[in-house]
């Protein structure tokens, strides 16, 4: 199992044990911790994406949250598949997050992230 699949399985298992009041913060923290272990250079992206989700996805269920963070991880990992997508608001936020962190990321990472957005026609 790759790290992305492991994240998904572990996040689902962990969130089942969390109370309704704590799962959101725990999921966000687990995502950031996993990204830190995977690639520390992605940490600013992970922290900003996590804060965006906490601020804007208050009604997400545990499953919605796990799926959202799985998709973000796949985007960061370069394995974002054709069946994955975000809302327009999430794409806008991710564009801003990537742009703000671009100088601290290696060029291949920035290029990978932006190429997905270009393919999805997320730039106006």
């Amino acid at each position: 199992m790759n790290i992305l699949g492991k994240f998904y399985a572990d996040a689902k298992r962990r969130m089942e044990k969390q109370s309704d009041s704590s799962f959101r913060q725990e999921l966000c923290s687990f995502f950031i911790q996993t990204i830190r272990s995977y690639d520390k250079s992605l940490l600013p992206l992970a922290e900003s994406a996590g804060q965006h989700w906490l601020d804007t996805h208050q009604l997400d269920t545990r499953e919605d949250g796990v799926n959202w963070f799985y998709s973000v991880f796949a985007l960061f990992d370069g394995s974002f598949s054709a069946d994955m997508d975000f809302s327009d608001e999430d794409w806008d936020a991710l564009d801003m997050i990537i742009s703000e962190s671009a100088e601290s990321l290696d060029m291949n990472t920035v290029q990978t992230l932006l190429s997905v957005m270009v393919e999805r026609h997320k730039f106006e």
Side-chain angles (χ1 to χ4, degrees):
M1 178 182 302
N2 66 18
I3 190 163
L4 192 57
K6 182 166 176 23
F7 167 78
Y8 184 78
D10 289 350
K12 281 189 77 159
R13 184 177 35 78
R14 284 175 163 228
M15 291 314 105
E16 289 172 359
K17 298 175 184 177
Q18 295 296 315
S19 68
D20 288 342
S21 62
S22 67
F23 93 88
R24 294 174 43 74
Q25 189 61 50
E26 178 60 29
L27 178 57
C28 185
S29 296
F30 180 61
F31 171 71
I32 292 168
Q33 170 191 339
T34 303
I35 294 294
R36 180 181 289 118
S37 298
Y38 171 71
D39 183 347
K40 285 185 176 142
S41 73
L42 296 173
L43 199 53
L45 294 175
E47 290 170 341
S48 295
Q51 190 60 55
H52 165 73
W53 183 79
L54 287 171
D55 292 344
T56 60
H57 288 259
Q58 290 92 5
L59 300 179
D60 280 10
T61 64
R62 286 171 173 80
E63 184 175 351
D64 292 339
V66 169
N67 289 333
W68 192 87
F69 280 108
Y70 175 80
S71 295
V72 172
F73 196 167
L75 179 65
F76 292 175
D77 180 56
S79 58
F80 198 75
S81 63
D83 64 332
M84 294 177 167
D85 204 0
F86 296 109
S87 69
D88 288 342
E89 293 80 16
D90 287 339
W91 279 117
D92 289 345
L94 289 166
D95 177 28
M96 188 170 59
I97 289 166
I98 293 164
S99 296
E100 289 173 353
S101 299
E103 288 184 18
S104 65
L105 298 170
D106 71 69
M107 191 48 74
N108 287 337
T109 300
V110 174
Q111 189 173 12
T112 298
L113 296 170
L114 294 179
S115 69
V116 171
M117 297 178 89
V118 169
E119 288 171 9
R120 301 292 176 99
H121 307 284
K122 297 303 173 184
F123 293 112
E124 293 183 5

